[in-house]
Coordinates of all heavy atoms in Angstrom, one line a residue:
M27 N 14.2 -26.5 7.9 CA 13.4 -26.1 6.8 C 12.5 -25.0 7.1 O 11.9 -25.0 8.2 CB 12.5 -27.3 6.3 CG 12.0 -27.1 4.9 SD 11.1 -28.6 4.3 CE 9.5 -28.4 5.2
R28 N 12.5 -24.0 6.3 CA 11.7 -22.8 6.5 C 10.3 -22.9 6.0 O 10.1 -23.3 4.8 CB 12.4 -21.6 5.8 CG 12.0 -20.3 6.4 CD 13.1 -19.2 6.0 NE 12.4 -17.9 6.1 CZ 12.0 -17.3 5.0 NH1 12.3 -17.7 3.8 NH2 11.4 -16.1 5.1
M29 N 9.3 -22.6 6.8 CA 7.9 -22.7 6.4 C 7.6 -21.4 5.6 O 8.0 -20.3 5.9 CB 7.0 -22.7 7.7 CG 7.1 -24.0 8.5 SD 6.5 -25.4 7.6 CE 4.7 -25.1 7.8
Q30 N 6.8 -21.6 4.6 CA 6.4 -20.5 3.7 C 5.0 -20.1 4.1 O 4.1 -20.9 4.1 CB 6.5 -20.9 2.3 CG 7.6 -20.3 1.5 CD 7.5 -20.4 0.1 OE1 6.8 -21.3 -0.4 NE2 8.1 -19.5 -0.7
A31 N 4.8 -18.8 4.4 CA 3.5 -18.3 4.6 C 2.7 -18.3 3.3 O 3.2 -17.8 2.3 CB 3.5 -17.0 5.3
K32 N 1.5 -18.8 3.3 CA 0.7 -18.7 2.2 C -0.7 -18.1 2.5 O -1.3 -18.5 3.5 CB 0.5 -20.2 1.6 CG 0.1 -20.2 0.2 CD 0.2 -21.7 -0.3 CE -0.4 -21.7 -1.7 NZ -0.6 -23.1 -2.1
K33 N -1.1 -17.2 1.7 CA -2.3 -16.5 2.0 C -3.2 -16.3 0.8 O -2.6 -15.9 -0.3 CB -1.9 -15.2 2.7 CG -3.0 -14.2 3.0 CD -3.7 -14.6 4.3 CE -4.9 -13.6 4.5 NZ -5.9 -14.1 5.4
S34 N -4.5 -16.4 0.9 CA -5.4 -16.1 -0.2 C -6.4 -15.1 0.4 O -6.9 -15.3 1.5 CB -6.1 -17.3 -0.6 OG -5.2 -18.3 -1.2
F35 N -6.7 -14.1 -0.4 CA -7.7 -13.2 0.0 C -8.4 -12.5 -1.2 O -7.9 -12.6 -2.3 CB -7.1 -12.1 1.0 CG -5.9 -11.4 0.4 CD1 -6.0 -10.4 -0.4 CD2 -4.7 -11.9 0.8 CE1 -4.8 -9.7 -0.9 CE2 -3.5 -11.3 0.4 CZ -3.6 -10.2 -0.5
A36 N -9.5 -11.9 -0.9 CA -10.3 -11.3 -2.0 C -9.8 -9.9 -2.2 O -9.5 -9.2 -1.2 CB -11.8 -11.3 -1.7
V37 N -9.8 -9.4 -3.4 CA -9.5 -8.0 -3.7 C -10.5 -7.4 -4.7 O -11.2 -8.2 -5.4 CB -8.1 -7.8 -4.3 CG1 -7.0 -8.2 -3.3 CG2 -7.9 -8.7 -5.5
I38 N -10.7 -6.1 -4.6 CA -11.7 -5.4 -5.4 C -11.0 -4.6 -6.5 O -10.0 -3.9 -6.2 CB -12.5 -4.5 -4.5 CG1 -13.2 -5.3 -3.4 CG2 -13.5 -3.7 -5.3 CD1 -13.7 -4.5 -2.2
D39 N -11.5 -4.7 -7.7 CA -11.1 -3.8 -8.7 C -11.8 -2.5 -8.6 O -13.0 -2.3 -9.0 CB -11.3 -4.4 -10.1 CG -10.9 -3.5 -11.2 OD1 -10.5 -2.3 -11.0 OD2 -10.9 -4.0 -12.4
Y40 N -11.2 -1.5 -7.9 CA -11.9 -0.3 -7.6 C -12.2 0.6 -8.8 O -12.9 1.6 -8.8 CB -11.1 0.5 -6.5 CG -11.3 0.0 -5.1 CD1 -10.3 -0.6 -4.4 CD2 -12.6 0.0 -4.5 CE1 -10.4 -1.1 -3.2 CE2 -12.8 -0.5 -3.3 CZ -11.7 -1.1 -2.6 OH -11.9 -1.6 -1.3
H41 N -11.5 0.3 -9.9 CA -11.8 1.1 -11.1 C -13.2 0.7 -11.7 O -13.8 1.4 -12.4 CB -10.7 0.8 -12.2 CG -9.4 1.4 -11.8 ND1 -9.2 2.7 -11.6 CD2 -8.2 0.8 -11.4 CE1 -7.9 2.9 -11.2 NE2 -7.3 1.8 -11.1
R42 N -13.6 -0.5 -11.4 CA -14.9 -1.0 -12.0 C -16.0 -1.2 -10.9 O -17.1 -1.3 -11.3 CB -14.6 -2.4 -12.7 CG -13.7 -2.2 -13.9 CD -13.8 -3.4 -14.8 NE -13.2 -4.6 -14.1 CZ -13.9 -5.8 -14.0 NH1 -15.1 -5.9 -14.5 NH2 -13.4 -6.8 -13.4
C43 N -15.6 -1.3 -9.7 CA -16.6 -1.4 -8.6 C -17.5 -0.2 -8.6 O -17.0 0.9 -8.4 CB -15.9 -1.6 -7.3 SG -17.1 -1.5 -5.9
D44 N -18.8 -0.4 -8.7 CA -19.7 0.8 -8.7 C -21.1 0.4 -8.1 O -21.9 -0.2 -8.8 CB -19.9 1.3 -10.1 CG -20.8 2.5 -10.1 OD1 -21.2 3.0 -9.1 OD2 -21.2 2.9 -11.3
P45 N -21.3 0.7 -6.8 CA -22.5 0.3 -6.1 C -23.8 1.0 -6.8 O -24.9 0.5 -6.6 CB -22.4 0.7 -4.7 CG -21.1 1.4 -4.6 CD -20.3 1.3 -5.9
R46 N -23.6 2.1 -7.4 CA -24.7 2.8 -8.1 C -25.1 2.0 -9.3 O -26.2 2.2 -9.8 CB -24.3 4.2 -8.5 CG -24.2 5.1 -7.3 CD -23.4 6.4 -7.7 NE -22.8 6.9 -6.4 CZ -23.5 7.6 -5.5 NH1 -24.8 7.9 -5.7 NH2 -22.9 8.0 -4.4
S47 N -24.2 1.2 -9.8 CA -24.6 0.5 -11.0 C -25.0 -1.0 -10.7 O -25.9 -1.5 -11.4 CB -23.3 0.5 -11.9 OG -23.3 -0.6 -12.8
C48 N -24.4 -1.6 -9.7 CA -24.7 -3.0 -9.4 C -26.0 -3.1 -8.6 O -26.7 -4.1 -8.7 CB -23.6 -3.7 -8.7 SG -23.3 -3.0 -7.0
N49 N -26.3 -2.0 -7.9 CA -27.6 -2.1 -7.1 C -28.1 -0.6 -7.0 O -28.1 0.0 -6.0 CB -27.2 -2.6 -5.7 CG -28.5 -2.9 -4.9 OD1 -29.6 -2.6 -5.2 ND2 -28.3 -3.6 -3.7
P50 N -28.6 -0.1 -8.2 CA -29.1 1.3 -8.2 C -30.2 1.7 -7.3 O -30.3 2.8 -6.9 CB -29.5 1.5 -9.7 CG -29.5 0.1 -10.3 CD -28.8 -0.9 -9.4
D51 N -31.0 0.7 -6.9 CA -32.1 1.0 -6.0 C -31.7 1.2 -4.5 O -32.1 2.2 -3.8 CB -33.2 0.0 -6.0 CG -33.9 -0.1 -7.4 OD1 -33.9 1.0 -8.1 OD2 -34.4 -1.1 -7.8
E52 N -30.8 0.3 -4.0 CA -30.5 0.3 -2.6 C -29.1 0.8 -2.3 O -28.8 1.1 -1.2 CB -30.7 -1.1 -2.0 CG -32.1 -1.6 -2.1 CD -32.3 -3.0 -1.6 OE1 -31.6 -3.9 -2.2 OE2 -32.9 -3.2 -0.5
G53 N -28.2 0.6 -3.3 CA -26.8 1.0 -3.1 C -26.0 0.0 -2.1 O -24.9 0.4 -1.7
I54 N -26.6 -1.1 -1.9 CA -26.0 -2.1 -1.0 C -25.0 -3.0 -1.8 O -25.5 -3.5 -2.8 CB -27.0 -2.9 -0.3 CG1 -27.8 -2.0 0.7 CG2 -26.4 -4.1 0.5 CD1 -29.0 -2.7 1.3
C55 N -23.8 -3.1 -1.3 CA -22.9 -4.0 -2.0 C -23.3 -5.5 -1.8 O -23.3 -6.0 -0.6 CB -21.5 -3.8 -1.5 SG -20.3 -5.1 -2.0
L56 N -23.7 -6.2 -2.8 CA -24.1 -7.5 -2.7 C -23.0 -8.5 -2.3 O -23.2 -9.5 -1.6 CB -24.8 -8.0 -4.0 CG -26.0 -7.1 -4.4 CD1 -26.6 -7.6 -5.7 CD2 -27.1 -7.2 -3.3
A57 N -21.8 -8.1 -2.7 CA -20.7 -9.0 -2.3 C -20.4 -8.9 -0.8 O -20.1 -9.9 -0.1 CB -19.4 -8.5 -3.1
A58 N -20.5 -7.7 -0.3 CA -20.3 -7.5 1.2 C -21.4 -8.2 2.0 O -21.1 -8.8 3.0 CB -20.2 -6.0 1.5
E59 N -22.6 -8.1 1.4 CA -23.7 -8.7 2.1 C -23.5 -10.2 2.1 O -24.0 -10.9 3.1 CB -25.0 -8.4 1.3 CG -26.2 -8.6 2.1 CD -27.4 -8.0 1.3 OE1 -27.6 -8.4 0.1 OE2 -28.2 -7.2 1.9
A60 N -22.9 -10.8 1.1 CA -22.7 -12.2 1.0 C -21.5 -12.7 1.9 O -21.4 -13.9 2.1 CB -22.4 -12.6 -0.4
C61 N -20.7 -11.8 2.4 CA -19.6 -12.2 3.3 C -20.0 -12.5 4.7 O -20.2 -11.7 5.5 CB -18.5 -11.1 3.3 SG -17.1 -11.5 4.4
S62 N -20.2 -13.8 4.9 CA -20.7 -14.2 6.3 C -19.7 -14.0 7.4 O -20.0 -14.1 8.5 CB -21.1 -15.7 6.2 OG -20.1 -16.5 5.7
H63 N -18.4 -13.8 7.0 CA -17.3 -13.6 7.9 C -17.2 -12.1 8.3 O -16.4 -11.7 9.2 CB -16.0 -14.1 7.4 CG -16.0 -15.5 7.1 ND1 -16.0 -16.5 8.0 CD2 -16.2 -16.2 5.9 CE1 -16.0 -17.7 7.4 NE2 -16.2 -17.5 6.1
K64 N -18.0 -11.3 7.6 CA -18.1 -9.8 7.9 C -16.7 -9.1 7.8 O -16.4 -8.2 8.5 CB -18.7 -9.6 9.3 CG -20.0 -10.2 9.6 CD -21.1 -9.6 8.8 CE -22.4 -10.3 9.0 NZ -23.4 -10.1 7.9
V65 N -16.0 -9.6 6.8 CA -14.7 -8.9 6.6 C -14.7 -8.0 5.4 O -13.7 -7.3 5.1 CB -13.5 -9.9 6.5 CG1 -13.5 -10.8 7.8 CG2 -13.6 -10.7 5.3
M66 N -15.8 -8.0 4.7 CA -16.0 -7.1 3.5 C -17.2 -6.2 3.9 O -18.3 -6.6 4.2 CB -16.3 -7.9 2.3 CG -16.5 -7.0 1.0 SD -16.5 -8.1 -0.4 CE -16.7 -6.8 -1.7
K67 N -16.9 -4.9 3.9 CA -17.9 -3.9 4.5 C -18.0 -2.6 3.7 O -16.9 -2.2 3.3 CB -17.6 -3.6 5.9 CG -17.9 -4.8 6.9 CD -17.6 -4.3 8.3 CE -17.8 -5.5 9.3 NZ -17.5 -5.2 10.6
Q68 N -19.1 -2.0 3.7 CA -19.3 -0.7 3.2 C -19.1 0.3 4.4 O -20.1 0.8 4.9 CB -20.6 -0.5 2.5 CG -20.7 -1.0 1.1 CD -22.1 -0.9 0.5 OE1 -23.0 -1.5 1.1 NE2 -22.3 -0.2 -0.6
I69 N -17.9 0.5 4.8 CA -17.7 1.3 6.0 C -18.2 2.8 5.8 O -18.5 3.4 6.8 CB -16.3 1.3 6.5 CG1 -15.3 1.6 5.4 CG2 -16.0 -0.1 7.1 CD1 -13.9 1.9 6.0
D70 N -18.2 3.3 4.6 CA -18.6 4.7 4.4 C -20.1 4.8 4.1 O -20.6 5.8 3.8 CB -17.8 5.3 3.2 CG -16.4 5.4 3.6 OD1 -16.1 5.7 4.7 OD2 -15.5 5.3 2.7
G71 N -20.8 3.6 4.1 CA -22.3 3.6 4.0 C -22.7 3.1 2.6 O -21.9 2.8 1.7
I72 N -24.0 3.1 2.4 CA -24.5 2.7 1.1 C -24.1 3.6 0.0 O -23.8 4.8 0.2 CB -26.1 2.5 1.2 CG1 -26.8 3.8 1.5 CG2 -26.5 1.4 2.2 CD1 -28.3 3.8 1.3
F73 N -24.1 3.1 -1.2 CA -23.7 3.8 -2.4 C -22.2 4.1 -2.4 O -21.7 4.9 -3.2 CB -24.5 5.0 -2.7 CG -26.0 4.7 -3.1 CD1 -27.0 4.9 -2.2 CD2 -26.3 4.2 -4.3 CE1 -28.3 4.6 -2.5 CE2 -27.6 3.9 -4.7 CZ -28.6 4.1 -3.8
E74 N -21.5 3.5 -1.5 CA -20.0 3.7 -1.4 C -19.3 2.3 -1.7 O -19.9 1.3 -1.4 CB -19.6 4.3 -0.1 CG -20.2 5.7 0.2 CD -19.7 6.8 -0.7 OE1 -18.6 6.6 -1.4 OE2 -20.4 7.8 -0.8
Q75 N -18.1 2.4 -2.2 CA -17.4 1.2 -2.4 C -17.0 0.5 -1.1 O -16.7 1.1 -0.1 CB -16.1 1.5 -3.2 CG -16.4 1.9 -4.6 CD -15.1 2.3 -5.4 OE1 -14.2 2.8 -4.8 NE2 -15.1 2.0 -6.7
P76 N -17.1 -0.9 -1.1 CA -16.7 -1.6 0.1 C -15.2 -1.8 0.2 O -14.5 -1.5 -0.7 CB -17.4 -3.0 -0.2 CG -17.3 -3.1 -1.7 CD -17.4 -1.7 -2.3
I77 N -14.8 -2.2 1.4 CA -13.4 -2.5 1.6 C -13.4 -4.0 2.2 O -14.4 -4.5 2.7 CB -12.7 -1.6 2.6 CG1 -13.4 -1.6 4.0 CG2 -12.7 -0.2 2.1 CD1 -12.4 -1.5 5.1
I78 N -12.2 -4.6 2.0 CA -12.0 -5.9 2.5 C -10.9 -5.9 3.6 O -9.8 -5.4 3.3 CB -11.6 -6.9 1.4 CG1 -12.8 -7.0 0.4 CG2 -11.3 -8.3 2.0 CD1 -12.5 -7.8 -0.8
F79 N -11.2 -6.4 4.7 CA -10.1 -6.6 5.8 C -9.3 -7.8 5.4 O -9.7 -8.9 5.8 CB -10.7 -6.6 7.2 CG -11.4 -5.4 7.6 CD1 -12.8 -5.3 7.4 CD2 -10.8 -4.3 8.0 CE1 -13.5 -4.1 7.8 CE2 -11.4 -3.1 8.4 CZ -12.8 -3.0 8.2
Q80 N -8.3 -7.7 4.6 CA -7.7 -8.8 3.9 C -7.0 -9.8 4.9 O -7.0 -11.0 4.7 CB -6.7 -8.4 2.9 CG -7.5 -7.9 1.7 CD -6.6 -7.0 0.7 OE1 -5.6 -6.6 1.0 NE2 -7.2 -6.9 -0.5
D81 N -6.5 -9.3 6.0 CA -5.9 -10.1 7.0 C -6.9 -11.1 7.6 O -6.5 -12.2 8.1 CB -5.4 -9.3 8.2 CG -4.1 -8.6 7.8 OD1 -3.6 -8.8 6.7 OD2 -3.6 -7.7 8.6
M82 N -8.2 -10.8 7.6 CA -9.2 -11.7 8.2 C -10.0 -12.4 7.1 O -10.9 -13.2 7.5 CB -10.1 -10.8 9.1 CG -9.4 -10.2 10.3 SD -10.6 -9.4 11.3 CE -10.9 -7.9 10.4
C83 N -9.7 -12.2 5.9 CA -10.4 -12.9 4.8 C -10.2 -14.4 4.9 O -9.0 -14.8 5.0 CB -10.0 -12.3 3.5 SG -10.8 -13.1 2.1
M84 N -11.2 -15.1 4.8 CA -11.1 -16.6 4.9 C -10.9 -17.3 3.5 O -10.7 -18.5 3.4 CB -12.4 -17.2 5.5 CG -12.8 -16.6 6.8 SD -11.5 -16.8 8.1 CE -11.7 -18.6 8.4
G85 N -11.0 -16.5 2.4 CA -10.8 -17.1 1.1 C -11.9 -18.1 0.7 O -11.7 -19.0 0.0
C86 N -13.1 -17.7 1.1 CA -14.3 -18.6 0.8 C -14.9 -18.3 -0.6 O -15.6 -19.1 -1.2 CB -15.3 -18.5 1.9 SG -16.1 -16.9 1.9
W87 N -14.6 -17.1 -1.0 CA -15.0 -16.6 -2.4 C -16.5 -16.4 -2.5 O -17.0 -16.3 -3.7 CB -14.4 -17.4 -3.5 CG -13.0 -17.8 -3.3 CD1 -12.5 -19.1 -3.5 CD2 -11.9 -17.0 -2.9 NE1 -11.1 -19.1 -3.3 CE2 -10.7 -17.8 -2.9 CE3 -11.8 -15.7 -2.6 CZ2 -9.5 -17.3 -2.6 CZ3 -10.5 -15.2 -2.3 CH2 -9.4 -16.0 -2.3
D88 N -17.2 -16.3 -1.5 CA -18.7 -16.0 -1.6 C -18.9 -14.6 -2.2 O -19.9 -14.4 -2.9 CB -19.3 -16.0 -0.2 CG -19.5 -17.5 0.4 OD1 -19.3 -18.4 -0.4 OD2 -19.7 -17.6 1.6
C89 N -18.0 -13.7 -1.9 CA -18.1 -12.3 -2.4 C -17.9 -12.3 -3.9 O -18.6 -11.6 -4.7 CB -17.1 -11.4 -1.8 SG -15.4 -12.0 -1.8
I90 N -17.0 -13.2 -4.4 CA -16.8 -13.2 -5.9 C -18.0 -13.7 -6.6 O -18.4 -13.2 -7.6 CB -15.6 -14.2 -6.1 CG1 -14.3 -13.6 -5.6 CG2 -15.4 -14.4 -7.6 CD1 -13.1 -14.4 -5.7
E91 N -18.6 -14.7 -6.0 CA -19.9 -15.3 -6.6 C -21.0 -14.2 -6.6 O -21.8 -14.2 -7.5 CB -20.4 -16.5 -5.8 CG -19.4 -17.6 -5.7 CD -19.7 -18.7 -6.7 OE1 -20.9 -19.0 -6.9 OE2 -18.8 -19.2 -7.3
A92 N -21.0 -13.4 -5.6 CA -22.2 -12.5 -5.3 C -22.1 -11.2 -6.1 O -23.1 -10.6 -6.3 CB -22.3 -12.2 -3.9
C93 N -20.9 -10.8 -6.5 CA -20.8 -9.5 -7.2 C -21.3 -9.5 -8.6 O -20.8 -10.2 -9.5 CB -19.4 -9.0 -7.2 SG -19.1 -7.5 -8.2
P94 N -22.4 -8.8 -8.9 CA -23.0 -8.9 -10.2 C -22.1 -8.3 -11.3 O -22.2 -8.7 -12.5 CB -24.2 -8.0 -10.1 CG -24.4 -7.7 -8.7 CD -23.1 -7.9 -8.0
L95 N -21.2 -7.4 -11.0 CA -20.3 -6.8 -12.0 C -19.0 -7.6 -12.1 O -18.1 -7.2 -12.9 CB -20.0 -5.4 -11.7 CG -21.2 -4.4 -11.6 CD1 -20.7 -3.0 -11.4 CD2 -22.1 -4.6 -12.8
K96 N -18.8 -8.6 -11.3 CA -17.6 -9.5 -11.3 C -16.3 -8.6 -11.2 O -15.4 -8.8 -12.0 CB -17.5 -10.3 -12.7 CG -18.7 -11.2 -12.8 CD -18.7 -12.3 -11.8 CE -20.0 -13.1 -11.9 NZ -20.3 -13.8 -10.6
V97 N -16.3 -7.8 -10.2 CA -15.1 -7.0 -9.9 C -14.3 -7.4 -8.7 O -13.3 -6.8 -8.4 CB -15.5 -5.5 -9.7 CG1 -16.4 -5.0 -10.9 CG2 -16.2 -5.2 -8.4
V98 N -14.8 -8.5 -8.1 CA -14.0 -9.1 -6.9 C -13.3 -10.3 -7.4 O -13.8 -11.1 -8.2 CB -14.9 -9.4 -5.8 CG1 -14.1 -9.8 -4.5 CG2 -15.9 -8.3 -5.5
F99 N -12.0 -10.4 -7.1 CA -11.3 -11.6 -7.5 C -10.3 -12.1 -6.4 O -10.1 -11.4 -5.4 CB -10.5 -11.3 -8.8 CG -9.6 -10.1 -8.8 CD1 -8.3 -10.3 -8.6 CD2 -10.1 -8.8 -9.0 CE1 -7.4 -9.2 -8.6 CE2 -9.3 -7.7 -9.0 CZ -7.9 -7.9 -8.8
A100 N -9.8 -13.3 -6.6 CA -9.0 -13.9 -5.7 C -7.5 -13.6 -5.9 O -7.0 -13.6 -7.0 CB -9.2 -15.4 -5.7
K101 N -6.8 -13.3 -4.8 CA -5.4 -13.1 -4.9 C -4.7 -14.1 -4.0 O -5.1 -14.3 -2.9 CB -5.1 -11.6 -4.4 CG -3.6 -11.3 -4.6 CD -3.4 -9.8 -4.6 CE -1.9 -9.5 -4.9 NZ -1.7 -8.1 -5.2
H102 N -3.6 -14.7 -4.5 CA -2.9 -15.7 -3.8 C -1.4 -15.2 -3.6 O -0.8 -14.8 -4.6 CB -2.9 -17.0 -4.5 CG -4.3 -17.5 -4.8 ND1 -5.1 -18.1 -3.9 CD2 -5.0 -17.4 -6.0 CE1 -6.2 -18.4 -4.5 NE2 -6.2 -18.0 -5.7
V103 N -1.0 -15.1 -2.4 CA 0.3 -14.6 -2.1 C 1.1 -15.8 -1.4 O 0.6 -16.4 -0.5 CB 0.3 -13.4 -1.2 CG1 1.7 -12.9 -0.9 CG2 -0.5 -12.3 -1.9
T104 N 2.3 -16.0 -1.8 CA 3.1 -17.1 -1.2 C 4.3 -16.4 -0.5 O 4.8 -15.4 -0.9 CB 3.6 -18.1 -2.1 OG1 4.2 -17.5 -3.3 CG2 2.4 -19.0 -2.6
Ligands
LIG8 S1 -18.0 -5.2 -5.1 FE1 -19.5 -5.7 -6.7 S2 -21.4 -5.9 -5.6 FE2 -20.0 -4.7 -4.3 S3 -20.4 -2.6 -4.7 FE3 -18.7 -3.3 -6.0 S4 -19.6 -3.9 -7.9 FE4 -21.2 -3.8 -6.4
LIG9 S1 -13.5 -14.4 0.3 FE1 -15.1 -14.9 1.9 S2 -14.3 -14.0 3.8 FE2 -13.1 -13.1 2.1 S3 -14.2 -11.1 1.7 FE3 -15.0 -12.7 0.3 S4 -16.8 -13.6 1.3 FE4 -15.6 -12.5 2.9

């Protein structure tokens, strides 16, 4: 019997993600800040969109809860 790889990770809707709008004072991505596994980061700095290292994402969805604009969502791949 062949085992099926199953993976869940967070993805960002980059058309709607806007650190200038969700956190106009500081430009800090609140979703990335909420990621205790440190796999979601603003690698280009504040006021820039974050990225998710999807291979390392734990699927805890803390980032989804934390994003004020609700632009982070769960993706399930089988
Ligand atoms: S993911 Fe959400 S909290 Fe993070 S910068 Fe984008 S809109 Fe803001
Ligand atoms: S689902 Fe959890 S581990 Fe993955 S990016 Fe979001 S907060 Fe980080």
